[in-house]
CSV table of all heavy atoms in Angstrom, one decimal:
chain,number,residue,atom,x,y,z
A,586,GLY,N,-10.9,-7.1,-11.4
A,586,GLY,CA,-12.0,-6.9,-10.5
A,586,GLY,C,-13.4,-7.3,-11.1
A,586,GLY,O,-13.4,-8.1,-12.1
A,587,ARG,N,-14.4,-6.7,-10.7
A,587,ARG,CA,-15.8,-7.0,-11.2
A,587,ARG,C,-16.1,-8.4,-11.1
A,587,ARG,O,-17.0,-8.9,-11.9
A,587,ARG,CB,-15.9,-6.5,-12.7
A,587,ARG,CG,-15.4,-5.1,-13.0
A,587,ARG,CD,-16.2,-4.1,-12.3
A,587,ARG,NE,-16.0,-2.7,-12.9
A,587,ARG,CZ,-16.4,-1.7,-12.4
A,587,ARG,NH1,-17.1,-1.7,-11.2
A,587,ARG,NH2,-16.3,-0.5,-13.0
A,588,ALA,N,-15.6,-9.2,-10.2
A,588,ALA,CA,-15.8,-10.6,-10.2
A,588,ALA,C,-17.3,-10.9,-9.9
A,588,ALA,O,-17.9,-11.8,-10.5
A,588,ALA,CB,-14.9,-11.2,-9.1
A,589,ALA,N,-17.9,-10.2,-8.9
A,589,ALA,CA,-19.3,-10.4,-8.6
A,589,ALA,C,-20.2,-10.1,-9.8
A,589,ALA,O,-21.2,-10.9,-10.2
A,589,ALA,CB,-19.7,-9.6,-7.4
A,590,GLN,N,-20.0,-9.0,-10.5
A,590,GLN,CA,-20.8,-8.7,-11.6
A,590,GLN,C,-20.6,-9.6,-12.8
A,590,GLN,O,-21.6,-10.0,-13.4
A,590,GLN,CB,-20.5,-7.2,-12.1
A,590,GLN,CG,-20.9,-6.1,-11.0
A,590,GLN,CD,-19.7,-5.8,-10.1
A,590,GLN,OE1,-18.8,-6.6,-10.0
A,590,GLN,NE2,-19.8,-4.6,-9.6
A,591,LEU,N,-19.3,-10.1,-12.9
A,591,LEU,CA,-19.1,-11.0,-14.0
A,591,LEU,C,-19.8,-12.3,-13.8
A,591,LEU,O,-20.4,-12.9,-14.7
A,591,LEU,CB,-17.6,-11.2,-14.1
A,591,LEU,CG,-17.1,-12.1,-15.3
A,591,LEU,CD1,-17.5,-11.5,-16.6
A,591,LEU,CD2,-15.6,-12.3,-15.2
A,592,ALA,N,-19.7,-12.8,-12.6
A,592,ALA,CA,-20.5,-14.0,-12.2
A,592,ALA,C,-22.0,-13.8,-12.4
A,592,ALA,O,-22.7,-14.8,-12.9
A,592,ALA,CB,-20.1,-14.4,-10.7
A,593,ALA,N,-22.5,-12.7,-12.0
A,593,ALA,CA,-23.9,-12.4,-12.1
A,593,ALA,C,-24.3,-12.5,-13.6
A,593,ALA,O,-25.4,-13.0,-13.9
A,593,ALA,CB,-24.3,-11.1,-11.5
A,594,ILE,N,-23.5,-11.8,-14.5
A,594,ILE,CA,-23.9,-11.8,-15.9
A,594,ILE,C,-23.9,-13.2,-16.5
A,594,ILE,O,-24.8,-13.6,-17.2
A,594,ILE,CB,-22.9,-10.9,-16.7
A,594,ILE,CG1,-23.1,-9.4,-16.2
A,594,ILE,CG2,-23.1,-11.0,-18.1
A,594,ILE,CD1,-22.0,-8.5,-16.8
A,595,ARG,N,-22.9,-14.0,-16.2
A,595,ARG,CA,-22.7,-15.3,-16.7
A,595,ARG,C,-23.8,-16.2,-16.2
A,595,ARG,O,-24.3,-17.0,-17.0
A,595,ARG,CB,-21.4,-15.9,-16.4
A,595,ARG,CG,-20.2,-15.3,-17.2
A,595,ARG,CD,-18.9,-15.7,-16.9
A,595,ARG,NE,-18.0,-15.2,-17.8
A,595,ARG,CZ,-16.6,-15.2,-17.7
A,595,ARG,NH1,-16.1,-15.7,-16.5
A,595,ARG,NH2,-15.7,-14.8,-18.6
A,596,SER,N,-24.2,-16.0,-15.0
A,596,SER,CA,-25.4,-16.8,-14.5
A,596,SER,C,-26.7,-16.4,-15.2
A,596,SER,O,-27.5,-17.2,-15.6
A,596,SER,CB,-25.5,-16.6,-13.0
A,596,SER,OG,-26.7,-17.2,-12.5
A,597,ALA,N,-26.8,-15.1,-15.4
A,597,ALA,CA,-28.0,-14.6,-16.1
A,597,ALA,C,-28.1,-15.0,-17.6
A,597,ALA,O,-29.2,-15.3,-18.1
A,597,ALA,CB,-28.0,-13.0,-16.1
A,598,LEU,N,-26.9,-15.2,-18.2
A,598,LEU,CA,-26.9,-15.6,-19.6
A,598,LEU,C,-27.5,-17.1,-19.7
A,598,LEU,O,-28.0,-17.5,-20.8
A,598,LEU,CB,-25.5,-15.6,-20.2
A,598,LEU,CG,-25.0,-14.2,-20.4
A,598,LEU,CD1,-23.6,-14.3,-20.9
A,598,LEU,CD2,-25.9,-13.4,-21.4
A,599,ASN,N,-27.5,-17.8,-18.6
A,599,ASN,CA,-28.0,-19.2,-18.7
A,599,ASN,C,-29.5,-19.2,-18.6
A,599,ASN,O,-30.2,-20.2,-19.0
A,599,ASN,CB,-27.5,-20.0,-17.5
A,599,ASN,CG,-26.0,-20.3,-17.6
A,599,ASN,OD1,-25.5,-20.4,-18.6
A,599,ASN,ND2,-25.3,-20.3,-16.4
A,600,THR,N,-30.2,-18.0,-18.3
A,600,THR,CA,-31.6,-18.0,-18.2
A,600,THR,C,-32.2,-16.8,-19.0
A,600,THR,O,-33.2,-16.3,-18.7
A,600,THR,CB,-32.0,-17.7,-16.7
A,600,THR,OG1,-31.4,-16.5,-16.2
A,600,THR,CG2,-31.6,-18.9,-15.8
A,601,GLY,N,-31.5,-16.4,-20.1
A,601,GLY,CA,-32.1,-15.5,-21.1
A,601,GLY,C,-31.2,-14.3,-21.3
A,601,GLY,O,-31.2,-13.8,-22.4
A,602,GLY,N,-30.5,-13.8,-20.3
A,602,GLY,CA,-29.6,-12.7,-20.5
A,602,GLY,C,-29.7,-11.6,-19.4
A,602,GLY,O,-30.3,-11.8,-18.3
A,603,ALA,N,-29.2,-10.4,-19.7
A,603,ALA,CA,-29.1,-9.4,-18.7
A,603,ALA,C,-28.9,-8.0,-19.4
A,603,ALA,O,-28.5,-7.9,-20.6
A,603,ALA,CB,-28.0,-9.6,-17.7
A,604,VAL,N,-29.3,-7.0,-18.6
A,604,VAL,CA,-29.0,-5.6,-19.0
A,604,VAL,C,-28.0,-5.0,-18.1
A,604,VAL,O,-28.3,-5.1,-16.9
A,604,VAL,CB,-30.3,-4.7,-19.0
A,604,VAL,CG1,-30.0,-3.3,-19.3
A,604,VAL,CG2,-31.3,-5.3,-20.0
A,605,LEU,N,-26.9,-4.6,-18.6
A,605,LEU,CA,-25.8,-4.0,-17.8
A,605,LEU,C,-25.9,-2.5,-17.8
A,605,LEU,O,-25.7,-1.9,-18.9
A,605,LEU,CB,-24.5,-4.5,-18.3
A,605,LEU,CG,-23.2,-4.2,-17.5
A,605,LEU,CD1,-23.3,-4.7,-16.1
A,605,LEU,CD2,-22.0,-4.8,-18.2
A,606,ALA,N,-26.1,-1.9,-16.7
A,606,ALA,CA,-26.3,-0.4,-16.7
A,606,ALA,C,-25.3,0.2,-15.9
A,606,ALA,O,-24.8,-0.3,-14.8
A,606,ALA,CB,-27.7,-0.1,-16.0
A,607,GLY,N,-24.9,1.4,-16.2
A,607,GLY,CA,-23.9,2.2,-15.5
A,607,GLY,C,-23.5,3.5,-16.2
A,607,GLY,O,-23.9,3.7,-17.4
A,608,PRO,N,-22.8,4.4,-15.5
A,608,PRO,CA,-22.4,5.7,-16.2
A,608,PRO,C,-21.5,5.5,-17.3
A,608,PRO,O,-20.9,4.4,-17.5
A,608,PRO,CB,-21.8,6.4,-15.0
A,608,PRO,CG,-22.1,5.7,-13.8
A,608,PRO,CD,-22.4,4.3,-14.2
A,609,ALA,N,-21.4,6.5,-18.2
A,609,ALA,CA,-20.5,6.4,-19.3
A,609,ALA,C,-19.0,6.2,-18.8
A,609,ALA,O,-18.6,6.8,-17.8
A,609,ALA,CB,-20.6,7.6,-20.1
A,610,GLY,N,-18.3,5.4,-19.6
A,610,GLY,CA,-16.9,5.2,-19.2
A,610,GLY,C,-16.6,4.3,-18.0
A,610,GLY,O,-15.4,4.2,-17.7
A,611,VAL,N,-17.6,3.7,-17.5
A,611,VAL,CA,-17.4,2.9,-16.2
A,611,VAL,C,-16.9,1.5,-16.5
A,611,VAL,O,-16.4,0.7,-15.7
A,611,VAL,CB,-18.6,2.9,-15.4
A,611,VAL,CG1,-19.6,1.8,-15.9
A,611,VAL,CG2,-18.3,2.6,-13.9
A,612,GLY,N,-16.9,1.1,-17.9
A,612,GLY,CA,-16.4,-0.2,-18.2
A,612,GLY,C,-17.4,-1.2,-18.5
A,612,GLY,O,-17.2,-2.4,-18.5
A,613,LYS,N,-18.7,-0.8,-18.9
A,613,LYS,CA,-19.7,-1.7,-19.3
A,613,LYS,C,-19.3,-2.6,-20.5
A,613,LYS,O,-19.6,-3.8,-20.5
A,613,LYS,CB,-21.0,-1.0,-19.5
A,613,LYS,CG,-21.6,0.0,-18.4
A,613,LYS,CD,-22.9,0.6,-18.8
A,613,LYS,CE,-22.8,1.5,-19.9
A,613,LYS,NZ,-21.9,2.7,-19.7
A,614,SER,N,-18.9,-1.9,-21.5
A,614,SER,CA,-18.6,-2.6,-22.8
A,614,SER,C,-17.5,-3.7,-22.5
A,614,SER,O,-17.5,-4.8,-23.1
A,614,SER,CB,-18.2,-1.7,-23.9
A,614,SER,OG,-19.2,-0.8,-24.2
A,615,ARG,N,-16.5,-3.3,-21.8
A,615,ARG,CA,-15.4,-4.3,-21.5
A,615,ARG,C,-15.9,-5.4,-20.7
A,615,ARG,O,-15.5,-6.6,-20.9
A,615,ARG,CB,-14.3,-3.5,-20.8
A,615,ARG,CG,-13.1,-4.4,-20.5
A,615,ARG,CD,-12.4,-4.9,-21.8
A,615,ARG,NE,-11.4,-5.9,-21.6
A,615,ARG,CZ,-10.1,-5.6,-21.2
A,615,ARG,NH1,-9.8,-4.4,-21.0
A,615,ARG,NH2,-9.3,-6.6,-21.0
A,616,LEU,N,-16.7,-5.2,-19.7
A,616,LEU,CA,-17.2,-6.2,-18.8
A,616,LEU,C,-18.1,-7.1,-19.6
A,616,LEU,O,-18.0,-8.4,-19.5
A,616,LEU,CB,-18.0,-5.6,-17.7
A,616,LEU,CG,-18.7,-6.7,-16.8
A,616,LEU,CD1,-17.7,-7.6,-16.1
A,616,LEU,CD2,-19.4,-5.8,-15.6
A,617,ALA,N,-18.9,-6.6,-20.5
A,617,ALA,CA,-19.8,-7.4,-21.3
A,617,ALA,C,-18.9,-8.3,-22.3
A,617,ALA,O,-19.3,-9.4,-22.5
A,617,ALA,CB,-20.7,-6.5,-22.2
A,618,ALA,N,-17.9,-7.7,-22.8
A,618,ALA,CA,-17.0,-8.5,-23.8
A,618,ALA,C,-16.4,-9.7,-22.9
A,618,ALA,O,-16.2,-10.7,-23.5
A,618,ALA,CB,-16.0,-7.6,-24.4
A,619,GLU,N,-16.0,-9.3,-21.8
A,619,GLU,CA,-15.4,-10.4,-20.9
A,619,GLU,C,-16.4,-11.5,-20.6
A,619,GLU,O,-16.0,-12.7,-20.6
A,619,GLU,CB,-14.8,-9.8,-19.6
A,619,GLU,CG,-13.9,-10.6,-18.8
A,619,GLU,CD,-12.5,-10.7,-19.4
A,619,GLU,OE1,-12.2,-9.8,-20.3
A,619,GLU,OE2,-11.8,-11.6,-19.1
A,620,ALA,N,-17.6,-11.1,-20.4
A,620,ALA,CA,-18.6,-12.1,-20.0
A,620,ALA,C,-19.0,-13.1,-21.1
A,620,ALA,O,-19.3,-14.2,-20.9
A,620,ALA,CB,-19.9,-11.3,-19.5
A,621,VAL,N,-18.9,-12.5,-22.4
A,621,VAL,CA,-19.2,-13.4,-23.5
A,621,VAL,C,-18.0,-14.1,-24.2
A,621,VAL,O,-18.2,-14.7,-25.2
A,621,VAL,CB,-20.1,-12.6,-24.6
A,621,VAL,CG1,-21.3,-12.0,-23.9
A,621,VAL,CG2,-19.2,-11.5,-25.2
A,622,MET,N,-16.9,-13.8,-23.6
A,622,MET,CA,-15.7,-14.4,-24.2
A,622,MET,C,-15.8,-16.0,-24.3
A,622,MET,O,-16.2,-16.6,-23.3
A,622,MET,CB,-14.4,-14.1,-23.3
A,622,MET,CG,-13.1,-14.4,-24.0
A,622,MET,SD,-11.7,-13.8,-22.9
A,622,MET,CE,-11.9,-12.1,-23.1
A,623,GLY,N,-15.5,-16.5,-25.4
A,623,GLY,CA,-15.6,-17.9,-25.6
A,623,GLY,C,-16.9,-18.3,-26.3
A,623,GLY,O,-17.1,-19.5,-26.5
A,624,GLU,N,-17.9,-17.4,-26.4
A,624,GLU,CA,-19.2,-17.7,-27.0
A,624,GLU,C,-19.2,-17.9,-28.5
A,624,GLU,O,-20.1,-18.4,-29.1
A,624,GLU,CB,-20.2,-16.7,-26.5
A,624,GLU,CG,-20.6,-16.6,-25.1
A,624,GLU,CD,-21.6,-17.7,-24.7
A,624,GLU,OE1,-22.1,-18.4,-25.6
A,624,GLU,OE2,-21.8,-17.9,-23.5
A,625,VAL,N,-18.1,-17.4,-29.2
A,625,VAL,CA,-18.1,-17.4,-30.6
A,625,VAL,C,-18.2,-18.8,-31.2
A,625,VAL,O,-19.0,-19.0,-32.1
A,625,VAL,CB,-16.8,-16.7,-31.1
A,625,VAL,CG1,-16.8,-16.8,-32.7
A,625,VAL,CG2,-16.8,-15.3,-30.7
Side-chain angles (χ1 to χ4, degrees):
R587 310 295 199 192
Q590 295 92 337
L591 185 61
I594 293 170
R595 286 176 172 166
S596 175
L598 289 176
N599 294 326
T600 57
V604 176
L605 183 58
V611 81
K613 300 184 297 297
S614 299
R615 181 64 189 279
L616 177 57
E619 194 74 18
V621 301
M622 189 174 291
E624 291 279 351
V625 176

